[in-house]
Amino acid sequence: MADTQQVDGGGKSGRRVGRLASQISSFAQAHGGAEGQIAYLGQMGARIVLVGEDGEWGDLVAPSYALAEEAVKRSGITLHEDFDGEFANKVRTGPYEWTRMAGIQVGGPSNKPD
């Protein structure tokens, strides 16, 4: 049987949801609004990926998918089922991300210190 967790808004879980919702809201406010997507990470919990209206992005990790959903709901941002299409196209990447991505490919620059 799957281990499920109720989100009642109180106790340690409620405080964690409140902190996550506050962080999501702060990100949205700093970037002209935001949208998000939740990815299940297994026992580690869930990853909340945020994309601002200005193309900046970031992520947070919640201890469970249910807590991530509640935090996103409280923050009031739009939640997407998948990270694709128009939503994914909003992400603005810079030299750092391109260097990091190229470094994992054969022949790409290394990210290891010299």
Side-chain angles (χ1 to χ4, degrees):
M1 175 174 263
D3 182 28
T4 60
Q5 183 174 7
Q6 294 289 327
V7 179
D8 61 8
K12 187 176 179 180
S13 294
R15 287 189 300 274
R16 181 67 175 147
V17 167
R19 279 194 304 273
L20 286 167
S22 177
Q23 290 173 305
I24 294 166
S25 296
S26 293
F27 179 89
Q29 192 172 39
H31 297 284
E35 299 174 47
Q37 190 263 337
I38 302 172
Y40 179 66
L41 297 174
Q43 289 183 342
M44 290 180 60
R47 179 181 187 209
I48 306 167
V49 179
L50 303 169
V51 179
E53 288 302 313
D54 61 1
E56 293 295 318
W57 62 278
D59 65 350
L60 299 165
V61 175
S64 73
Y65 197 92
L67 293 179
E69 283 182 314
E70 182 62 25
V72 169
K73 181 179 175 183
R74 286 189 193 180
S75 72
I77 68 168
T78 299
L79 183 64
H80 294 268
E81 291 281 326
D82 298 303
F83 194 83
D84 60 6
E86 289 182 35
F87 178 50
N89 285 333
K90 289 184 176 189
V91 175
R92 187 179 70 216
T93 56
Y96 173 78
E97 289 84 5
W98 284 104
T99 300
R100 296 279 301 163
M101 288 185 277
I104 64 172
Q105 297 176 13
V106 175
S110 173
N111 285 316
K112 295 180 184 176
D114 293 329

